[in-house]
Amino acid sequence: MLLAALLLAAAPAAPDAEIRAAAERIRPAIVALRRDLHAHPELSNREHRTGHLVAERLRDLGLEVRYPVAKTGVVAVLRGGRSGGGVVALRADIDALPIEETNDLPFRSQTKGVMHACGHDAHTAMLLGAAEVLAGLRARLPGTVVLLFQPAEEGPPEGEEGGAPLMVREAALDDPKVEAVFGLHVGSWTSVGQAGWSDGPIFASSDTFTITVEGKTVHGAQPHMGLDPIPVAAEIVQALQLVVSRQIDGRQPRVLTIGRIEGGTRFNIIADRVRMDGTVRTHDATVRAEIKARMARTVKGVAEAHGTTAVLRFLDEGNPPTVNHAALARAVGVPALQRVFGEGAVRVEPQMVAEDFPFYGQKAPYFYFLLGTRNDAKGIGSVNHTARFDVDEDALPLGVRALATLAWDFLAGRGGSAASPLRP
């Protein structure tokens, strides 16, 4: 509390009324943009139309634009007319998912099998809106805003690089050197008019794995002459659930899910191998490492007990847990959300979903919040990553205001100094 009081004491008042008026003025354009993006979704590392559109919109605002970055992403720099406020970044993700949309909307996806089922169309539209609002206040803006439009948050195709790790490696936060990063995610966790915040963990880590169990194929009537990998795979599934329920401290949130099992060719033939794919989630880096080590021991041990082999492979580096920088949250993030949302700014419990935003934490402290887009009265309540996901577009100007206010508050002295104790 003392840190927040000290930082806020000398901070000039943010132009809240002007930001609000500007966000309402551009509401129709932001809604139209979100609908255009929704109708033309693109998969990870293939966001060519989206990246080009974003780059052109930012150039029209007179910003310095780098495109492409991290394959199809965009980085833009808005330099304010007042110096001394430091450098802050705002981030949106731009990719869609391989899901066939079932919503009956006039702007439903026009790309078969691809849909903005996670709300990244809304993220992109809101960040472009925030860029326009802040550009309109450029002469008084006390510092520099870096706008990150990131591809491949859903994960690049296997064998490719992408997402936040590649944005970081391609120096998206280095010139100018970013001192704090803010981001958001839409969803049905909260209702429209609300923003969910945490001053600690808010999203889980995410690791994707595959397990291959080897067998020896024979006629199904003579299993003793071969080696059946299907019951071995079933035992591995059960043993892995014992890892999370009996080997990890029960006070630590964790999830291990096997989402797909494939094996065999015919009802009366012993399979030659079984492949299982899954994910593991935690809120703590130490627990994450412990689960992965115990998984490897369990898979190997169960297979050996049945005279076969099983290989556990994690497909990539995975996503760390999203853990908000506590001092940044208390000094800047929460006060800004409370001014925009009032009593709608609510503390939320950490979710077990994940995303790659925490990779930006390698460069600067960050604050990430949840923007409510559920509206049961309108029938908008499906969860992210489903074929009927949608957002209440009344949330879009609120997201624009929140992003613009967070950036302004940080730059106005609420943590923007290069010597700030908010820095890691």
Side-chain angles (χ1 to χ4, degrees), residues 130-171:
E132 184 171 346
V133 169
L134 292 170
L137 299 168
R138 182 177 348 218
R140 286 180 286 150
L141 185 65
T144 298
V145 181
V146 176
L147 303 157
L148 307 170
F149 291 86
Q150 176 207 308
E153 187 281 321
E154 300 292 352
E158 191 169 354
E160 296 185 21
E161 293 183 298
L166 189 56
M167 292 282 283
V168 170
R169 286 196 291 274
E170 294 195 2

Side-chain angles (χ1 to χ4, degrees), residues 7-253:
L7 289 171
L8 293 172
D16 290 349
E18 292 174 80
I19 290 174
R20 178 172 186 161
E24 289 298 325
R25 185 174 64 252
I26 65 174
R27 174 199 287 255
I30 298 305
V31 170
L33 175 59
R34 180 257 163 170
R35 293 182 177 187
D36 176 75
L37 294 169
H38 190 88
H40 300 93
E42 296 172 299
L43 295 175
S44 299
N45 279 356
R46 307 293 186 267
E47 310 94 329
H48 301 290
R49 178 186 185 273
T50 306
H52 178 75
L53 182 154
V54 167
E56 289 304 305
R57 295 288 182 106
L58 295 168
R59 290 189 181 109
D60 289 345
L61 293 174
L63 275 58
E64 304 167 26
V65 176
R66 288 174 54 198
Y67 171 73
V69 180
K71 300 187 184 295
T72 55
V74 184
V75 177
V77 180
L78 170 59
R79 301 185 190 275
R82 290 171 52 200
S83 61
V87 182
V88 66
L90 303 174
R91 175 270 206 165
D93 33 17
I94 66 175
D95 55 328
L97 285 160
I99 293 175
E100 181 71 25
E101 182 167 14
T102 60
N103 287 318
D104 185 18
L105 299 169
F107 53 90
R108 64 175 293 169
S109 172
Q110 297 178 19
T111 305
K112 185 174 178 56
V114 183
M115 176 192 174
H116 269 297
C118 202
H120 297 181
D121 51 342
H123 298 174
T124 303
M126 288 186 290
L127 185 52
L128 282 170
E132 184 171 346
V133 169
L134 292 170
L137 299 168
R138 182 177 348 218
R140 286 180 286 150
L141 185 65
T144 298
V145 181
V146 176
L147 303 157
L148 307 170
F149 291 86
Q150 176 207 308
E153 187 281 321
E154 300 292 352
E158 191 169 354
E160 296 185 21
E161 293 183 298
L166 189 56
M167 292 282 283
V168 170
R169 286 196 291 274
E170 294 195 2
L173 282 71
D174 292 346
D175 186 18
K177 186 172 179 56
V178 169
E179 297 172 339
V181 188
F182 295 95
L184 60 78
H185 208 298
V186 299
S188 59
W189 300 287
T190 55
S191 298
V192 64
Q194 293 183 315
W197 61 268
S198 168
D199 55 4
I202 192 164
F203 274 2
S205 62
S206 170
D207 291 288
T208 303
F209 62 85
T210 182
I211 302 170
T212 303
V213 184
E214 295 297 331
K216 180 181 178 182
T217 185
V218 294
H219 195 289
Q222 300 168 307
H224 61 285
M225 298 180 65
L227 202 162
D228 191 348
I230 289 179
V232 179
E235 190 169 327
I236 288 174
V237 172
Q238 294 300 317
L240 289 177
Q241 294 308 314
L242 291 177
V243 169
V244 296
S245 68
R246 290 295 180 266
Q247 298 180 28
I248 304 297
D249 188 334
R251 295 168 295 181
Q252 296 287 352

